[in-house]
Amino acid sequence: MIEHAQFPGEQTEAGEFKRQDDVFRNWVTDGGESGYPPESNRYHLYVSWACPWAHRTIIARKLKKLEGIVGMTVVDPLRNDRGWAFREGPGHSADTINGFRYLREAYQATADDYRGRVTVPVLWDRSTKRIVSNSDDDIMRMFNSAFNRLTDSLIDLYPPPLQRDIDAMNEFIYENVNDGVYRAGFATAQGIYEKAVRRLFDALDQLEARLSSRRYLFGAKAVETDWRLFVTLVRFDAVYHGHFKCNIRRIIDYPNLFGYLKDLYQIDGIADTVNFDHIKRHYYITHDDINPTRIVPVGPDQNLRAPHGRHKLV
């Protein structure tokens, strides 16, 4: 293990960050054959406003109008050596569902021998008192379709005609952008860092070109891939550009990507899911191996509510 790595158990000897796999991969299914049927107020989402992986599920819950069906509790953005904690504070709270003090208790209640890193999001089943899933990919898909008979939202984030293309684009964006910023930021060797950061910006250049002729990644309607990209873009200039040394360019320097970011941010309800205070305090204070002073920058002022001019694209 690498002594100065952010997560030593997920770092190779060469200095490369290798993210751990999600462990809990059960599903809520429409017919309930999985043992987890869709029921109002049965499931609860544990999240952090700071975490991009959790942010995806918060957005899916918002877009699918599941806020009255699936409850949600937000952890303290300041994670310590005991992991994510439930505390009262601005934008976060104690756990009123189980009385957990730390999210680790949910993991141990589900698998008492669990020894991995505790991550958000977590979809909790109040009936069986165990974790259904800690996979943001799976939770997004569950929210998209499993609860459809309980909501009047007609949005489909994973439409059948586009599913193969969505899966391929998801993989490209995950490998090069979503996880790419972490591979750069958590690198403990110069060459590993440079490889990751150049792959990241090569991908951003490709996405900039793609968005020159279409409003969203697959045309006139946003799908899950757009939101998977959004959560990285919205954190990029505030955190990844400086804190993770992804500083070849900023998102504001990409006309199409920045317009696309503003377009998504201005969709009804989405701005409510973005908490820059939690985002910046989490990264700059929690990652003290990267930022030993724990000073949180004041900026940048991104003006995400400014006109974006992308309505003319299809």
Side-chain angles (χ1 to χ4, degrees), residues 1 5 7-12 16-21 117 119:
M1 293 190 296
F7 301 116
E10 298 170 63
Q11 205 83 7
T12 70
E16 185 177 4
F17 175 61
K18 292 283 190 181
R19 186 176 299 278
Q20 70 177 20
D21 292 332
R117 182 161 58 91
T119 60

Side-chain angles (χ1 to χ4, degrees), residues 72-125:
M72 189 175 84
T73 300
V74 180
V75 296
D76 188 331
L78 303 186
R79 190 183 61 219
N80 60 24
D81 57 0
R82 298 186 66 181
W84 297 106
F86 297 101
R87 303 186 185 96
E88 293 292 341
H92 57 92
S93 71
D95 173 29
T96 61
I97 301 302
N98 294 294
F100 294 147
R101 294 182 59 201
Y102 290 90
L103 187 58
R104 178 167 292 279
E105 296 169 59
Y107 279 69
Q108 292 171 337
T110 307
D112 58 10
D113 60 346
Y114 183 77
R115 296 293 181 268
R117 182 161 58 91
V118 172
T119 60
V120 286
V122 161
L123 185 64
W124 176 263
D125 180 14

Side-chain angles (χ1 to χ4, degrees), residues 47-51 55 58 72 74 91 235 272-275 278-279:
V47 295
S48 166
W49 294 120
C51 172
H55 193 180
I58 297 170
M72 189 175 84
V74 180
R235 287 162 173 76
D272 295 337
T273 74
V274 181
N275 188 319
H278 278 223
I279 290 168

Side-chain angles (χ1 to χ4, degrees), residues 223-297:
V223 297
E224 69 168 33
T225 316
D226 295 285
W227 298 112
R228 291 166 66 105
L229 178 57
F230 170 82
V231 297
T232 299
L233 296 183
V234 79
R235 287 162 173 76
F236 199 98
D237 290 3
V239 175
Y240 305 140
H241 179 268
H243 185 60
F244 280 175
K245 306 178 185 68
C246 299
N247 60 0
I248 294 177
R249 284 176 290 281
R250 303 165 300 169
I251 298 305
I252 199 172
D253 299 322
Y254 287 97
N256 298 321
L257 277 170
F258 187 51
Y260 167 81
L261 170 60
K262 290 187 289 183
D263 188 0
L264 290 170
Y265 182 84
Q266 292 172 30
I267 289 175
D268 287 348
I270 297 304
D272 295 337
T273 74
V274 181
N275 188 319
F276 280 114
D277 173 63
H278 278 223
I279 290 168
K280 293 197 294 184
R281 285 197 295 123
H282 167 69
Y283 283 94
Y284 285 102
I285 295 177
T286 298
H287 297 166
D288 53 3
D289 285 341
I290 297 173
N291 183 38
T293 66
R294 306 178 87 194
I295 292 173
V296 180

Side-chain angles (χ1 to χ4, degrees), residues 303-314:
N303 196 16
L304 295 177
R305 296 188 184 277
H308 53 77
R310 295 188 60 80
H311 298 94
K312 62 182 180 295
L313 297 172
V314 296

Side-chain angles (χ1 to χ4, degrees), residues 149-196:
R149 59 188 173 89
L150 301 179
T151 176
D152 61 0
S153 171
L154 299 177
I155 289 174
D156 187 357
L157 299 173
Y158 191 53
L162 294 175
Q163 287 178 1
R164 290 184 62 183
D165 292 334
I166 286 173
D167 289 345
M169 183 60 76
N170 284 353
E171 181 70 13
F172 171 79
I173 289 173
Y174 172 79
E175 289 292 331
N176 297 291
V177 182
N178 299 143
D179 206 45
V181 294
Y182 285 91
R183 294 177 193 185
F186 289 167
T188 54
Q190 184 70 33
I192 296 294
Y193 155 73
E194 290 186 10
K195 178 182 177 181

